[in-house]
Amino acid sequence: MCELLGMSANVPTDICFSFSGLMQRGGRTGPHKDGWGIAFYEGKGLSSFHDPSPSANSRIAQLVKEYPIKSHVVISHIRQANVGDICLENTHPFSRELWGQMWTFAHNGQLDKGVFDLPLSHYYPVGTTDSEYAFCWLLGEIRTAFPQAPEDMQKLYDFIQQCCDQLRALGVYNMLLTDSCSLYAYCSTKLSWITRKAPFGEASLTDTEMVVDFCKETTPQDVVTVIATVPLTDNENWISLAEGEMVVFKQGLIVNN
Amino acid sequence: MCELLGMSANVPTDICFSFSGLMQRGGRTGPHKDGWGIAFYEGKGLSSFHDPSPSANSRIAQLVKEYPIKSHVVISHIRQANVGDICLENTHPFSRELWGQMWTFAHNGQLDKGVFDLPLSHYYPVGTTDSEYAFCWLLGEIRTAFPQAPEDMQKLYDFIQQCCDQLRALGVYNMLLTDSCSLYAYCSTKLSWITRKAPFGEASLTDTEMVVDFCKETTPQDVVTVIATVPLTDNENWISLAEGEMVVFKQGLIVNN
């Protein structure tokens, strides 16, 4: 199974700590070795890194781990290939532009080949994965329903929830999606999150020898939410999403009903 | 003035040599210090790196320089900001998907603010540059004229030429554009190219102490074309494009009439 990692924060924050844990699962402590990718946002701008090679060995992953790129939204993915060859164009996360915003998407799970029968209207896949196809369908549905960015965000949340339910009916569909501001986390089988805010404490990664004292890294106003397929630390209280549950984070806080 | 760098090759080739020369112009030997970016293609897959900070200092640029990512098409750009703030979303090159291919674009020059009156149909800018706006207009025009990828490529070349002529009427418009296979080079004021093939020789970079013996790096079948705003080497015969001239390269060779 692939693994997802996401972050939503109210201050530009680096994800080095969480990413170090996730990286180990890409070949050392986990079987997820068929590519990885990560997308950072600085304001509206998207910076993304993709590598079809295992993350535990990847030179690009080493840069990301050591170079604390500060971001308020992050989506990352380590792949264990099911549908589609191992190649750059099949490496999550995937991005497309809608309403002058770069949307980014990553998926954990496998969908029935019926997904390829869903109609595409605006966006078309470059690669051959069920995941990218699902993203192209989802974003096309959003664009058709909302030709401009809506004022009433709850209408958009409800619409995205319905689309995700439809995809979940085709198989396992755990998803992270962002429009550069909000981070949508949709659970099919496995997705957990944790919000760190003051008073901060120490966190210990499950997969590697690393402990971070968040107190030293943060200010009292910081709010940072991390979302992962499987909790990354063994000494904090992660919250698991239920099947079919979608949580939308903005600046680290939940914004949907 | 910004600088462009492009490559079209018939074998996956690294651009470290040319990029080393270009990097110096991003702060050390040149005034182009308002961000840089580079896009590589491995088959259909796009891997891009952007940094709003000067390339001569950039950690990401260091990775690109030292890690020989092999690619058959490359577009790179160093920016000297004219229109639009210095920020990630204003950093070339820009990419959008059309016909299930990732198209990438970079522009050297400045366009009259009339460019912002051109109608957009499918693609919308994330940032505030004249360049990204021009790209969104151009790709939208292509998509409207050709809802599917055309069989007759010359029709597409002619159409892109006409659109570029229209943009050139609004100011200085030197452009590199790719659909992941072909590399379009359009000249307004300054653009040169060189095709390296057997028998290969030595090349000496103008901007830094570096000489490469291409004979050692290549096979007799290799064809590699490099395109740059200003020739990067001082001992080879670069060809300058004329004003309004467009050359399309595929696998290192010219394919348009």
Side-chain angles (χ1 to χ4, degrees), chain A residues 133 142 218:
Chain A
Y133 194 100
I142 294 171
T218 53

Side-chain angles (χ1 to χ4, degrees), chain A residues 116-193:
Chain A
F116 295 104
D117 295 328
L118 292 170
L120 300 180
S121 54
H122 296 279
Y123 302 99
Y124 295 84
V126 177
T128 54
T129 63
D130 51 350
S131 305
E132 191 192 9
Y133 194 100
F135 175 45
C136 289
W137 172 78
L138 170 62
L139 210 65
E141 292 294 293
I142 294 171
R143 188 167 176 154
T144 303
F146 303 94
Q148 278 87 40
E151 304 255 347
D152 182 349
M153 291 305 285
Q154 193 57 48
K155 279 202 165 85
L156 177 63
Y157 302 154
D158 293 341
F159 185 81
I160 291 175
Q161 168 93 51
Q162 288 164 30
C163 291
C164 289
D165 291 343
Q166 197 173 333
L167 289 164
R168 179 165 57 89
L170 293 172
V172 175
Y173 187 75
N174 300 294
M175 174 198 82
L176 290 178
L177 174 73
T178 182
D179 60 3
S180 75
C181 290
S182 305
L183 180 59
Y184 297 77
Y186 181 89
C187 179
S188 178
T189 54
K190 282 164 72 164
L191 204 57
S192 299
W193 59 274

Side-chain angles (χ1 to χ4, degrees), chain A residues 13-239:
Chain A
T13 302
D14 74 69
I15 202 167
C16 292
F17 173 68
S18 302
F19 190 68
S20 298
L22 191 73
M23 249 180 80
Q24 299 306 312
R25 294 179 182 173
R28 207 179 69 86
T29 57
H32 324 291
K33 48 174 185 48
D34 300 327
W36 68 278
I38 187 164
F40 299 93
Y41 283 87
E42 293 171 32
K44 298 186 76 179
L46 167 65
S47 183
S48 61
F49 301 84
H50 297 79
D51 196 333
S53 65
S55 66
N57 308 339
S58 165
R59 180 81 190 272
I60 298 173
Q62 200 63 26
L63 169 81
V64 170
K65 198 175 86 152
E66 293 168 0
Y67 179 44
I69 298 165
K70 291 191 181 295
S71 194
H72 63 284
V73 177
V74 176
I75 288 181
S76 184
H77 178 274
I78 298 183
R79 187 175 179 222
Q80 190 185 24
N82 290 324
V83 179
D85 291 346
I86 296 163
C87 54
L88 181 58
E89 63 267 31
N90 284 349
T91 305
H92 309 218
F94 304 105
S95 297
R96 295 292 190 279
E97 175 256 311
L98 169 62
W99 310 324
Q101 295 167 303
M102 289 307 297
W103 290 63
T104 295
F105 165 101
H107 165 234
N108 161 357
Q110 187 172 348
L111 300 173
D112 185 83
K113 61 184 187 328
V115 69
F116 295 104
D117 295 328
L118 292 170
L120 300 180
S121 54
H122 296 279
Y123 302 99
Y124 295 84
V126 177
T128 54
T129 63
D130 51 350
S131 305
E132 191 192 9
Y133 194 100
F135 175 45
C136 289
W137 172 78
L138 170 62
L139 210 65
E141 292 294 293
I142 294 171
R143 188 167 176 154
T144 303
F146 303 94
Q148 278 87 40
E151 304 255 347
D152 182 349
M153 291 305 285
Q154 193 57 48
K155 279 202 165 85
L156 177 63
Y157 302 154
D158 293 341
F159 185 81
I160 291 175
Q161 168 93 51
Q162 288 164 30
C163 291
C164 289
D165 291 343
Q166 197 173 333
L167 289 164
R168 179 165 57 89
L170 293 172
V172 175
Y173 187 75
N174 300 294
M175 174 198 82
L176 290 178
L177 174 73
T178 182
D179 60 3
S180 75
C181 290
S182 305
L183 180 59
Y184 297 77
Y186 181 89
C187 179
S188 178
T189 54
K190 282 164 72 164
L191 204 57
S192 299
W193 59 274
I194 186 166
T195 297
R196 296 189 183 110
K197 47 187 171 180
F200 292 92
E202 268 192 5
S204 154
L205 283 175
T206 310
D207 293 74
T208 188
E209 297 288 325
M210 195 170 170
V211 173
V212 167
D213 181 353
F214 281 107
C215 223
K216 297 206 173 75
E217 310 287 332
T218 53
T219 78
Q221 289 75 42
D222 294 1
V223 179
V224 181
T225 292
V226 177
I227 304 139
T229 297
V230 173
L232 291 163
T233 57
D234 49 29
N235 67 334
E236 294 176 298
N237 294 326
W238 290 71
I239 298 164

